[in-house]
Amino acid sequence: LVVRFDHGFLRPNLNDNAQRTFRLLGVDVLNFTPNWHVVRKLMLQSLLEKGDFCWHCHSGIFSYPMWVAIRYNVPLIFWGEPSSEYTAYYSYDQPEEVDEKRFNRYVNLGISADDMFIRLGGDVDERDLKPYSYPSLKELRKINYRSVCLGSFVPWDVKQQSTVIADKLGWKGDEVENVPPEYSYEKIECYMQGVRDYLKYIKRGYTRPSHLATLDIRNNLITRNEGLQLINQYEGKRPPSLDIFLEYVGLTEDEFMEIAMS
């Protein structure tokens, strides 16, 4: 069973890839798309509080499938890469449970669904936030659950794995704002990726090209100078998708910049 949380920004090419893959593999699929009016409020609120509008996406992706597991009595849940590939909360040699501790540790920005309900001041119904809440441990223990990263069992090599799914499943890459074209496998599902990277650049001074180059340097695939050239060419540019984002959440660009700078 494949469970997918549709955050509202899936690229057409990604959907084509997914449909082709589902049919080739032969799987059942549950796809959930949350209330768009609620999503817009959540995006604005998390941007105001954390400088990160992706709360609904990250919280929903890691909580909604757990509710599905309980509903259909599915005890084993697999995710993709280990978080150690991109963060420092867990190490590569540490068995990583994708559980509520991990969820609260770095997924939900320190804002629970209950917190968000209070912050929105009654603008949304409490039940609208259930997909972003984590099920109780008591309910999960009833199904004797395990929720783990595939990357805890399979060495994670994005370039190699991307080549495999391209060869075996016809998976196609895509162009993504401010991502070098040689990384056509990277973050191709979200057409708000450019805005997210732009925010990160304003706040932290680096974005996705830096971490992609860093991975390749560490794996001896490119030199440090080659990595620096990629970074200089692609980082920190204003993305065209910013106009779409500002329309969605009802901000001017000056207001956006004021929030980001704060």
Side-chain angles (χ1 to χ4, degrees):
L1 173 65
V2 173
V3 179
R4 185 169 77 163
F5 180 90
D6 179 349
H7 45 52
F9 310 116
L10 294 176
R11 294 169 180 267
N13 181 53
L14 186 281
N15 280 321
D16 290 344
N17 277 332
Q19 291 303 320
R20 186 170 53 253
T21 298
F22 297 155
R23 290 179 178 179
L24 285 169
L25 294 180
V27 292
D28 296 319
V29 182
L30 275 178
N31 188 79
F32 174 72
T33 305
N35 184 325
W36 176 238
H37 296 288
V38 174
V39 165
R40 287 166 66 191
K41 293 178 189 293
L42 295 174
M43 287 168 63
L44 179 58
Q45 189 64 33
S46 61
L47 175 67
L48 289 168
E49 291 201 36
K50 297 291 185 177
D52 184 344
F53 60 88
C54 299
W55 182 89
H56 83 282
C57 172
H58 295 156
S59 296
I61 284 171
F62 285 101
S63 59
Y64 176 75
M66 305 309 292
W67 289 106
V68 174
I70 290 169
R71 181 174 181 181
Y72 293 105
N73 193 28
V74 179
L76 181 60
I77 303 99
F78 271 111
W79 305 86
E81 78 274 1
S83 66
S84 48
E85 187 75 1
Y86 298 116
T87 72
Y89 293 97
Y90 297 87
S91 65
Y92 279 101
D93 58 358
Q94 183 177 5
E96 185 176 343
E97 296 286 331
V98 187
D99 55 12
E100 187 174 19
K101 178 181 178 182
R102 181 185 186 271
F103 184 76
N104 291 327
R105 199 172 186 183
Y106 86 94
V107 170
N108 69 2
L109 304 176
I111 303 174
S112 70
D114 290 336
D115 294 333
M116 190 60 81
F117 176 71
I118 293 168
R119 283 159 161 80
L120 290 175
D123 269 2
V124 301
D125 194 303
E126 192 168 7
R127 66 183 178 176
D128 285 328
L129 296 176
K130 183 176 180 179
Y132 312 101
S133 67
Y134 212 83
S136 71
L137 188 57
K138 181 180 180 181
E139 290 180 273
L140 289 166
R141 280 176 173 166
K142 283 181 182 177
I143 63 169
N144 194 28
Y145 88 112
R146 285 293 305 281
S147 176
V148 295
C149 298
L150 186 62
S152 294
F153 306 92
V154 177
W156 208 256
D157 184 334
V158 177
K159 284 184 181 292
Q160 183 184 14
Q161 290 153 346
S162 298
T163 300
V164 170
I165 61 175
D167 292 343
K168 301 288 187 183
L169 301 171
W171 191 270
K172 295 178 181 177
D174 211 344
E175 287 186 37
V176 179
E177 292 170 312
N178 300 343
V179 173
E182 53 263 53
Y183 299 97
S184 61
Y185 53 80
E186 178 72 17
K187 205 61 186 172
I188 67 170
E189 88 283 358
C190 180
Y191 65 79
M192 283 292 128
Q193 157 57 26
V195 182
R196 180 170 173 79
D197 254 12
Y198 192 49
L199 267 170
K200 185 173 181 177
Y201 186 79
I202 295 167
K203 294 193 302 179
R204 299 178 182 172
Y206 79 99
T207 59
R208 196 164 292 268
S210 282
H211 93 228
L212 289 169
T214 301
L215 286 171
D216 279 357
I217 292 167
R218 187 178 70 198
N219 292 328
N220 296 315
L221 296 173
I222 61 174
T223 66
R224 186 173 185 276
N225 284 337
E226 288 170 334
L228 287 171
Q229 288 174 14
L230 286 174
I231 291 164
N232 291 333
Q233 185 175 354
Y234 289 97
E235 274 200 349
K237 296 176 174 60
R238 182 194 185 280
S241 59
L242 181 60
D243 296 322
I244 302 171
F245 175 79
L246 295 175
E247 181 184 347
Y248 283 165
V249 297
L251 292 173
T252 66
E253 189 161 349
D254 286 342
E255 289 169 334
F256 172 86
M257 291 300 295
E258 184 179 351
I259 294 165
M261 293 298 289
S262 70

